[in-house]
Amino acid sequence: VALGLYFPRKEYSENVYIDEPAGTPLLRIHALRDSREEVAHFHLCHNLIGPRARPQENNWFQIREETGLLYLSKSLDREDFNVLSVGNWVPLSKVMLYVFLSSHPFQEKECDSATRATVLLSLINATAPACSSLTARQLCFTEMDLSFHIKENKPPGTFHQLRLPSVHHLCQNLSISYKLLAGEGVPFRYNENTTSVRVTQRLDREERERYELIAKCTVREGLREMQVEVPFLVNVLDEDDSAPFLPNGTDTADAVVEFNRKEGTVLSMLTVYDADTTPIYPLESSRKKYTGTIITDDPWISETFRIEHIFDEIHFSPNGSQVRGTRHEY
């Protein structure tokens, strides 16, 4: 079932300072495709959700529908800050925006789609700090972890840009460069010119469930050089695309029944592996997915024997990496 475009991360964050001019880029949001024909369109829906969950009309932020670049459409002055922070001269106020996705130009009614990402903006009651006063970490990365979720079996595409648009815009006298440190044969490519990271092929969760890379950033200002490294994690999301299998291909278990066996005696066992899914909680959900049934026309057999189903999470190790799966015992 094609579920359409999706966000490789559900949450984004950025700082917004007083008096940053209209047009200041804040952050870049990406989408990945479910099928090759899709084209992503981004849209901000509804109001800002402010302190104490008070919705406010959004007069300050806009997103470019084709590129996912979120920017200031109006400079945020102190009066605006007081409106958005409910007064009280607080130094910082957090507001929340929702970005929605569509594979065609947006109609307002589509704002109820389930495909949305949350943007957390920290409004800071001060002008933007001098670039020279910021640490390498602040210049290179936001406070959020670089952690992404990519669905298996989907087309390749760009899912992140390492360069922070706001810093790139404000600190043009600094040289900030990135590298993505990864092992051989990892299906991700970093583009030095755009600082974007791309998944280069369809992923298979049954081959590898998690990739652990490192993003390295170098900041140069005159003769001064600073470096910072952070983990860059990609989790592969499962699609139910592999059939359960039996170890050694054995699909038969013999049972010998002797007289005078006590109730509860185990007569035979059959083990089934599923590399595709892991136990779902509540456990009844997993139990319903795989059922054990005695097929017989003999009522005595139906009354006398029953199948019990036990399952637990196990790890497979294809290509030396651990992948979670389920062992079912009947």
Side-chain angles (χ1 to χ4, degrees):
V1 181
L3 296 171
L5 296 156
Y6 69 98
F7 291 105
R9 60 194 310 185
K10 289 291 187 190
E11 232 173 61
Y12 294 80
S13 72
E14 190 48 89
N15 296 332
V16 182
Y17 295 92
I18 298 285
D19 296 335
E20 285 187 283
T24 299
L26 297 174
L27 57 89
R28 178 84 192 272
I29 291 171
H30 289 84
L32 285 171
R33 295 169 301 161
D34 197 84
S35 61
R36 285 190 182 279
E37 310 75 60
E38 287 177 317
V39 178
H41 295 265
F42 300 88
H43 189 61
L44 288 180
C45 287
H46 312 311
N47 297 324
L48 291 165
I49 311 294
R52 300 174 205 152
R54 283 163 55 113
Q56 295 275 357
E57 198 175 335
N58 174 22
N59 299 314
W60 300 273
F61 306 103
Q62 205 43 261
I63 196 164
R64 298 207 190 286
E65 186 170 322
E66 286 81 22
T67 65
L69 183 72
L70 185 77
Y71 63 95
L72 270 173
S73 54
K74 173 185 182 296
S75 184
L76 185 78
D77 59 28
R78 289 190 191 277
E79 204 172 302
D80 296 328
F81 181 87
N82 290 337
V83 168
L84 288 171
S85 64
V86 203
N88 303 340
W89 295 101
V90 290
L92 181 144
S93 181
K94 285 191 184 282
V95 296
M96 199 159 69
L97 281 167
Y98 293 125
V99 179
F100 285 74
L101 260 183
S102 175
S103 54
H104 49 262
F106 251 89
Q107 315 293 320
E108 195 64 39
K109 65 179 183 300
E110 293 170 297
C111 284
D112 296 327
S113 145
T115 313
R116 71 179 192 187
T118 303
V119 177
L120 296 167
L121 296 171
S122 297
L123 309 183
I124 297 167
N125 194 2
T127 53
C131 295
S132 56
S133 71
L134 297 173
T135 64
R137 171 76 209 222
Q138 290 169 315
L139 289 164
C140 294
F141 305 107
T142 65
E143 288 165 24
M144 294 191 81
D145 294 339
L146 289 182
S147 180
F148 306 90
H149 293 86
I150 297 179
K151 294 180 182 178
E152 68 170 337
N153 306 322
K154 302 302 177 197
T158 298
F159 64 96
H160 185 61
Q161 185 180 38
L162 284 165
R163 180 172 65 211
L164 303 180
S166 55
V167 171
H168 184 65
H169 181 76
L170 292 168
C171 304
Q172 294 180 5
N173 59 331
L174 295 181
S175 160
I176 302 174
S177 59
Y178 294 90
K179 273 189 179 149
L180 194 62
L181 309 179
E184 284 294 307
V186 167
F188 305 104
R189 185 168 298 134
Y190 170 63
N191 181 323
E192 277 190 23
N193 299 324
T194 60
T195 78
S196 59
V197 185
R198 177 179 176 80
V199 56
T200 57
Q201 65 190 54
R202 291 172 185 263
L203 303 180
D204 182 353
R205 194 206 68 97
E206 286 70 68
E207 287 293 318
R208 187 157 175 184
E209 191 170 12
R210 185 176 165 86
Y211 294 87
E212 298 182 12
L213 298 83
I214 289 172
K216 179 180 178 179
C217 176
T218 304
V219 181
R220 291 183 187 85
E221 186 182 17
L223 298 172
R224 200 164 69 113
E225 184 176 292
M226 300 180 284
Q227 290 188 338
V228 62
E229 294 182 0
V230 299
F232 187 103
L233 306 175
V234 178
N235 295 289
V236 185
L237 293 181
D238 194 57
E239 193 175 56
D240 208 349
D241 64 336
S242 302
F245 62 95
L246 297 129
N248 311 322
T250 309
D251 63 356
T252 306
D254 290 326
V256 176
V257 187
E258 296 174 351
F259 286 102
N260 300 327
R261 295 291 90 184
K262 286 196 172 73
E263 187 180 335
T265 300
V266 176
L267 301 171
S268 184
M269 285 184 78
L270 192 63
T271 303
V272 181
Y273 288 110
D274 190 347
D276 203 41
T277 57
T278 54
I280 315 163
Y281 295 92
L283 291 177
E284 274 317 300
S285 309
S286 272
R287 222 178 280 285
K288 281 176 189 154
K289 188 170 177 183
Y290 294 94
T291 55
T293 310
I294 296 175
I295 301 170
T296 179
D297 295 330
D298 187 333
W300 179 80
I301 289 178
S302 302
E303 288 162 17
T304 311
F305 302 98
R306 72 168 184 269
I307 294 175
E308 287 199 352
H309 179 194
I310 308 161
F311 53 90
D312 55 357
E313 183 173 295
I314 57 166
H315 289 94
F316 298 94
S317 298
N319 308 325
S321 70
Q322 282 209 333
V323 173
R324 293 172 304 143
T326 310
R327 175 175 52 211
H328 300 267
E329 291 188 332
Y330 295 95

